[in-house]
Amino acid sequence: RGVQASKNKTMKKPEPFYRLSVPKQKSSSEIITEARNVLRTLRTQRPFTPTEDRRKLFGSRSSRAAQDRPPSVFSLHASSFDLAESRPVSGVRLSPLDYKPILVTSSKDEDSSVSLPRPAVDAAEVRKVSSARAQLFRTSQGNVFPAKMAPLDQNEKQLDSEEPAMMSDLSRTNDTCLAEQRARTPSSEESRQLIWNEGFGKPDREDVLKGTAGNLSRQPKGESDQMKKPGIVPWRPGSVGWKRRLAGLGDDTRIMESEEEKSFWHMKVLPILHELESEDNVESLCLACTRLYQVLNEGNMFGKRFKRRSVLLKTLYKLVDIDSDLLCLKLARIILSMKVDGKNLLSACKLAFKICKNEKNDCIIQNDRLLDCLLEVLRTEDLQKNSEALLYCMGAIKFLSGNAVLLNEMVSRGAVEMLLQLMKQINNIKEHDTRFSIFGHLLVQLTATLRNLADSPQARCQLACGAAVSELCVALEQRVSDEDVCTYVVRIFSKLSSYNDFCAALADCSRCYILFLALLNKHQKQQDLVIRITFILGNLTAKNNQAREQFFKEKGSVNTLISLFQTYHKLDLDAQKQYHERGREGKKTPKHPSEAEDVLIKLIRVLANLSIHPSVGAALAAAHRVVELLVTVLEYKSVEVCEELVINAATTINNLSFYKVKSSAVQDKKLHIAEMLLKLLMSNNMDGVVEAVRVFGNLSQYREICDFIVQRKIHKFVIALLDAKNQDVCFSACGVLLNLTVDKDKRALLLEEGGIGKLVDCLRDFGPADWQLACLICKTLWNYSEEITSAAACFGEDADTLLVLLTSLLDEELVRDCRSDRDLGDYQKLYWEREFKPVAEKLLDRIQTHHSFAPAVAVSAF
């Protein structure tokens, strides 16, 4: 009898699928198809993460107790560096230089021109001199160096080796004395002395303390008395006896130095070191460090084990005590470029960390390219040996990734690949390993950095590959008890799941669903985790029908969602109760959506998207607890208080009401649902009104709901909506009226409120641009006119207008001309031919058959 009421029969519905929203203006076909699908997915905003007020190794929300995590604040001084660890691995301990210069003319002379050992310096005098450099940086006076100092070569030779002293006559006090003394000696004569004048004895105290920079004309002395004593053997290059004293070091421990290297040191490096030793102006020191970096880079000395490396490094270490971020930045850059290791690498990374911790330093960091050094450390250093250094290096990189300019630089330098490689190494450390928790701290910094990098389009492409997703899932699986790691990995997924390519890659990782469920069950009350996981699941189930089925089939998936729903519903009710109890005391209105409401929004979205799948939707429609919770939202929450939550609940009920299954919970509660929808229908929220009308469109297939609509005079409100001049609103309203006209007793209701005329107006206004709506109107008029005897009696004064209108709309030429944009194309034409044309032709034939005269009504062009 007439056209059937069901929406499923009134329009051909393709299998539900998700259409990505177009960032700019949508085409007509996209708007219509998206809005008219009987089952619809839901969209929502990505959870917001507030930026930390201050840069810290672990944020204020970290789950780690302060005593169980590495510190973000620490003291760092020159003493934090270890001289022994700065010595080149393949180096030989060199003796301190005698004061008297010996000019080298040939290799033969080098073997014979050796100074003899000297008596030890008085210990009290050593301590006195050792404090001189420290005082330099604690006073504001000028150059506080003593008037007479030992030449730089003595310090240089003592420091220029990797191995610690192994002979009793090389006291630590003497090492310190020689290391601390510096003199401004820019002349070439002294430089030559630095190149060669090696003796293995200890110099006299007088030789250490007397002589000025200008006292360079003195001739070399002969062998000292001490050298003549029995048992003292002078060292010379290649000496077998010296090698035996190096505790088993082989022949490869010697560092040979070419004439070119000697000359470069003397001409380029040494003058800058003198300046660093004598200058106490920060700005001048910064400029000197800049020149030093350029010179070392020019000489290809970075990362190279050269003879005087230790001299250079110790000079830099002593400058760390100066309170200047710019100077420390330049020092850290040089020290890291020198490829230090052990304690010195840790101290250098901590120095970089302290600099990067201050956001105000981002500009100077960018100018001095410290980032390159940090990435090089990350790329080359051994995870097992230098885990703590890598932790602070990674922390510094994390800080810098918060800067948009530096973030792009990171991505362009391959930071994503480096981080994924490091994550892979960490993932290989299993839970029973004693280092597992230590590497967890590093993983927190790493994943936090990846989250920042995910903002870059280029990085997103790299993270969307299957290997990256797999490593992130492994980290999540292994660290399920580490809230910090879980939070950052989930934030990465949350950000990237908004993009199709990443969603596809994540959906292909089959274990991700069981991982998400495990996290939801373990951290049920961790709102920041729960809301992001449900957001991710919503994205996956909105775009992939296989994902809907796979998630639903995971053991306990629906029960987990129900449990979360109950938990956060209770939290929301408790929050409301507390607000009302003290509402009169505080005037502050609570923010909506609240944290609990936001979780419920994301949860309901997952249910709505799951219901698109035929078998999953049917199962959910029969799940009474699910439907009860959705109805509860309509009961206790108004659309004015939390619009998205209420509308999402109504949409999900609408999706579930589509399924006509035995023991349908929606069917059992249809009258109660209708009561709740009435409240939404009468609201001032048009989106809420449209959603309520959509649900009534499905529920009105039941006679009890049709009776309810008439009793509550909802039909008058629905007819009034036809004046909204909005295609979607008119479409939903027509769906309800179509179902009402199935019942003969209710067809006359269309005459109330001018229903026939409004339907004809909608057909004229929207027909050529919206064939779905035009088809629905024609079906409604077909049902209404089933027992027609006269066109004039049935349609009144609108009969002639309708006759002309249908004739025009059935004209194929008009269909081609009225196509508003090319994107409609064949889609609209096909719908016109298959859906609209058959119904419109039958209706036109019926009207013409019962019309006694030709119409004289003119219809304006479309």
Side-chain angles (χ1 to χ4, degrees):
R1 55 173 224 179
V3 179
Q4 295 300 315
S6 172
K7 271 191 178 182
N8 193 33
K9 297 180 181 179
T10 59
M11 54 182 287
K12 184 174 182 179
K13 182 185 76 63
E15 183 179 353
F17 63 96
Y18 179 81
R19 287 182 177 271
L20 279 178
S21 59
V22 181
K24 297 183 179 179
Q25 184 178 3
K26 298 179 183 178
S27 67
S28 300
S29 63
E30 287 172 326
I31 293 173
I32 293 169
T33 304
E34 186 178 285
R36 305 299 163 66
N37 279 338
V38 176
L39 303 183
R40 294 178 303 114
T41 58
L42 290 174
R43 303 187 184 109
T44 188
Q45 292 183 342
R46 185 166 54 86
F48 171 73
T49 303
T51 306
E52 292 282 349
D53 294 335
R54 297 173 58 190
R55 291 178 172 180
K56 297 179 181 178
L57 194 61
F58 296 93
S60 57
R61 299 188 178 189
S62 174
S63 62
R64 284 165 163 74
Q67 66 272 17
D68 297 333
R69 64 191 188 195
S72 291
V73 180
F74 43 79
S75 60
L76 194 66
H77 304 288
S79 59
S80 303
F81 293 87
D82 188 346
L83 177 61
E85 292 183 7
S86 299
R87 296 166 184 155
V89 175
S90 59
V92 179
R93 171 170 287 280
L94 303 178
S95 62
L97 298 181
D98 194 8
Y99 174 73
K100 304 304 180 288
I102 298 176
L103 302 181
V104 178
T105 57
S106 68
S107 59
K108 181 178 179 180
D109 293 337
E110 289 180 13
D111 284 338
S112 59
S113 304
V114 181
S115 297
L116 301 179
R118 296 191 176 278
V121 179
D122 181 74
E125 188 65 30
V126 169
R127 288 192 295 272
K128 175 181 175 182
V129 176
S130 298
S131 64
R133 182 61 175 165
Q135 293 174 3
L136 167 66
F137 303 122
R138 296 192 182 99
T139 64
S140 59
Q141 300 175 3
N143 190 343
V144 296
F145 283 96
K148 297 183 178 182
M149 299 179 63
L152 184 61
D153 56 356
Q154 295 177 354
N155 175 46
E156 168 198 348
K157 298 304 179 185
Q158 180 65 26
L159 301 180
D160 191 18
S161 63
E162 178 70 19
E163 297 301 320
M166 298 189 181
M167 301 175 64
S168 60
D169 58 328
L170 288 177
S171 68
R172 183 68 175 172
T173 304
N174 188 42
D175 287 348
T176 305
C177 171
L178 294 172
E180 294 295 341
Q181 306 311 308
R182 298 291 187 268
R184 301 186 66 176
T185 54
S187 71
S188 61
E189 290 292 326
E190 183 189 61
S191 300
R192 280 195 292 272
Q193 175 184 328
L194 287 171
I195 295 172
W196 185 254
N197 185 11
E198 305 176 33
F200 187 64
K202 299 178 182 179
D204 292 327
R205 180 168 62 91
E206 291 81 359
D207 287 335
V208 173
L209 298 178
K210 74 179 180 180
T212 62
N215 189 15
L216 299 174
S217 59
R218 299 174 60 181
Q219 297 301 316
K221 288 175 59 178
E223 294 183 351
S224 67
D225 294 338
Q226 184 176 357
M227 184 60 107
K228 296 177 182 178
K229 293 180 180 179
I232 303 296
V233 181
W235 174 85
R236 62 189 64 211
S239 169
V240 177
W242 171 255
K243 294 175 185 176
R244 289 172 179 172
R245 299 183 188 190
L246 292 178
L249 292 178
D251 292 341
D252 60 343
T253 57
R254 283 187 53 201
I255 294 181
M256 303 302 295
E257 185 177 40
S258 67
E259 290 294 333
E260 183 180 357
E261 289 173 333
K262 294 177 186 178
S263 177
F264 187 84
W265 174 268
H266 153 62
M267 299 296 296
K268 299 282 189 177
V269 180
L270 189 60
I272 302 177
L273 293 186
H274 286 321
E275 184 177 348
L276 291 174
E277 289 259 323
S278 61
E279 185 60 66
D280 61 351
N281 180 274
V282 172
E283 185 176 352
S284 299
L285 288 169
C286 289
L287 292 173
C289 284
T290 300
R291 285 188 283 111
L292 179 61
Y293 182 90
Q294 294 169 348
V295 166
L296 294 174
N297 191 42
E298 175 190 343
N300 194 27
M301 300 176 77
F302 286 137
K304 183 179 179 181
R305 300 295 181 178
F306 56 91
K307 202 167 209 179
R308 295 167 178 82
R309 168 188 170 93
S310 296
V311 178
L312 171 63
L313 286 172
K314 188 165 186 183
T315 303
L316 299 175
Y317 295 159
K318 290 191 291 184
L319 296 172
V320 171
D321 285 332
I322 301 177
D323 186 17
S324 168
D325 282 356
L326 179 58
L327 178 60
C328 288
L329 166 62
K330 294 180 180 296
L331 293 173
R333 182 190 182 199
I334 298 173
I335 294 169
L336 289 175
S337 298
M338 295 295 292
K339 305 291 185 184
V340 296
D341 56 10
K343 182 179 179 181
N344 291 334
L345 177 61
L346 172 59
S347 297
C349 288
K350 283 186 172 182
L351 184 61
F353 177 87
K354 289 184 70 173
I355 299 163
C356 298
K357 189 176 179 182
N358 188 346
E359 191 173 352
K360 295 178 181 178
N361 290 334
D362 286 358
C363 184
I364 61 174
I365 290 170
Q366 183 180 348
N367 293 336
D368 272 281
R369 313 199 68 80
L370 176 64
L371 176 61
D372 292 341
C373 299
L374 295 172
L375 290 176
E376 183 65 11
V377 169
L378 207 64
R379 187 180 67 84
T380 59
E381 293 300 333
D382 184 78
L383 174 65
Q384 311 289 342
K385 295 179 181 178
N386 300 303
S387 57
E388 189 177 1
L390 286 174
L391 170 68
Y392 285 100
C393 176
M394 193 70 254
I397 293 173
K398 178 189 72 173
F399 293 154
L400 299 184
S401 67
N403 180 291
V405 176
L406 291 169
L407 182 144
N408 290 328
E409 287 189 17
M410 286 184 198
V411 176
S412 65
R413 284 163 173 71
V416 174
E417 184 179 354
M418 292 181 203
L419 294 180
L420 291 175
Q421 286 295 327
L422 182 58
M423 179 183 288
K424 187 173 183 179
Q425 294 180 53
I426 297 173
N427 286 342
N428 289 332
I429 306 298
K430 303 308 177 185
E431 191 170 1
H432 62 270
D433 196 303
T434 55
R435 300 163 296 175
F436 186 78
S437 60
I438 298 174
F439 290 137
H441 300 322
L442 176 57
L443 193 57
V444 172
Q445 309 306 312
L446 192 156
T447 50
T449 307
L450 279 178
R451 167 57 193 89
N452 291 340
L453 292 176
D455 289 330
S456 164
Q458 185 180 344
R460 284 199 297 266
C461 294
Q462 294 174 274
L463 290 170
C465 69
V469 174
S470 178
E471 287 301 331
L472 287 166
C473 285
V474 170
L476 200 59
E477 187 173 8
Q478 290 185 348
R479 308 281 173 169
V480 69
S481 298
D482 190 329
E483 287 183 23
D484 291 346
V485 173
C486 291
T487 297
Y488 282 119
V489 174
V490 167
R491 283 179 180 174
I492 295 169
F493 287 161
S494 175
K495 171 68 178 180
L496 297 178
S497 64
S498 300
Y499 300 90
N500 274 350
D501 51 353
F502 184 84
C503 254
L506 186 57
D508 288 341
C509 185
S510 58
R511 69 177 183 274
C512 75
Y513 303 105
I514 195 168
L515 274 175
F516 290 145
L517 288 171
L519 285 171
L520 289 173
N521 287 315
K522 186 172 184 62
H523 304 288
Q524 193 167 105
K525 292 190 177 181
Q526 297 298 321
Q527 189 266 352
D528 56 339
L529 262 178
V530 171
I531 194 172
R532 285 170 177 80
I533 295 173
T534 50
F535 176 75
I536 297 164
L537 290 172
N539 289 341
L540 289 172
T541 54
K543 304 170 185 178
N544 191 317
N545 212 33
Q546 184 179 355
R548 296 169 188 142
E549 182 178 14
Q550 196 167 352
F551 174 78
F552 180 77
K553 287 183 177 180
E554 290 291 349
K555 184 178 180 181
S557 58
V558 175
N559 288 336
T560 297
L561 295 180
I562 291 174
S563 177
L564 286 170
F565 205 126
Q566 292 170 329
T567 298
Y568 283 90
H569 170 58
K570 184 178 184 304
L571 288 173
D572 191 33
L573 288 177
D574 292 343
Q576 282 190 11
K577 183 179 179 182
Q578 291 176 8
Y579 170 70
H580 289 302
E581 287 177 352
R582 65 171 189 263
R584 300 182 182 273
E585 302 173 8
K587 297 181 180 179
K588 206 170 184 182
T589 304
K591 175 188 172 183
H592 292 286
S594 65
E595 290 186 349
E597 287 172 337
D598 211 3
V599 171
L600 292 174
I601 288 169
K602 270 60 175 180
L603 275 170
I604 292 175
R605 176 176 177 244
V606 175
L607 293 170
N609 294 347
L610 286 172
S611 66
I612 302 297
H613 191 283
S615 60
V616 176
L620 291 176
H624 285 255
R625 192 67 189 118
V626 170
V627 176
E628 286 173 4
L629 290 169
L630 293 170
V631 174
T632 300
V633 172
L634 298 181
E635 289 174 344
Y636 87 101
K637 193 72 70 174
S638 69
V639 71
E640 290 81 12
V641 171
C642 192
E643 176 182 342
E644 188 177 4
L645 177 58
V646 174
I647 292 177
N648 281 10
T651 301
T652 309
I653 290 173
N654 181 53
N655 284 0
L656 297 179
S657 67
F658 171 79
Y659 297 99
K660 307 300 181 290
V661 294
K662 293 181 179 180
S663 68
S664 167
V666 176
Q667 184 175 350
D668 291 348
K669 299 178 181 299
K670 57 183 177 291
L671 283 174
H672 183 53
I673 292 172
E675 287 281 0
M676 295 301 101
L677 290 172
L678 185 58
K679 181 175 65 171
L680 183 59
L681 193 65
M682 297 299 142
S683 70
N684 293 324
N685 187 296
M686 184 52 69
D687 290 335
V689 169
V690 173
E691 204 56 56
V693 172
R694 283 194 181 115
V695 182
F696 273 117
N698 272 350
L699 294 181
S700 59
Q701 297 173 58
Y702 300 102
R703 187 179 185 88
E704 300 94 321
I705 299 300
C706 287
D707 293 339
F708 176 85
I709 290 173
V710 174
Q711 291 170 5
R712 297 300 185 91
K713 301 189 182 302
I714 296 174
H715 65 283
K716 292 186 177 183
F717 184 80
V718 173
I719 291 173
L721 289 176
L722 296 174
D723 287 329
K725 303 302 179 184
N726 180 286
Q727 291 172 251
D728 291 338
V729 174
C730 291
F731 187 89
S732 299
C734 284
V736 177
L737 296 176
L738 173 63
N739 289 337
L740 286 176
T741 57
V742 172
D743 192 336
K744 294 181 180 180
D745 297 336
K746 296 180 176 62
R747 290 172 183 169
L749 297 174
L750 279 183
L751 296 174
E752 299 181 19
E753 308 297 329
I756 298 297
K758 291 179 181 180
L759 286 171
V760 174
D761 289 342
C762 285
L763 184 62
R764 182 182 59 239
D765 294 339
F766 303 120
D770 191 343
W771 295 116
Q772 284 183 303
L773 176 56
C775 181
L776 199 59
I777 293 171
C778 288
K779 289 178 178 180
T780 303
L781 294 174
W782 173 265
N783 281 359
Y784 166 75
S785 62
E786 182 181 9
E787 297 180 351
I788 186 173
T789 56
S790 166
C794 185
F795 297 104
E797 59 185 14
D798 296 304
D800 294 341
T801 303
L802 184 58
L803 190 60
V804 174
L805 191 57
L806 288 172
T807 303
S808 301
L809 293 175
L810 287 169
D811 184 354
E812 292 190 21
E813 292 294 329
L814 178 66
V815 174
R816 286 196 295 268
D817 295 340
C818 290
R819 211 176 288 159
S820 58
D821 64 58
R822 295 179 182 178
D823 192 54
L824 290 173
D826 296 335
Y827 169 80
Q828 284 284 46
K829 184 179 179 181
L830 187 64
Y831 198 93
W832 177 86
E833 289 178 348
R834 293 185 177 180
E835 301 293 334
F836 173 78
K837 185 178 178 181
V839 178
E841 284 179 339
K842 290 181 179 179
L843 180 61
L844 177 61
D845 181 65
R846 176 181 284 179
I847 295 173
Q848 288 175 337
T849 301
H850 295 85
H851 204 283
S852 57
F853 57 89
V857 179
V859 178
S860 59
F862 296 105

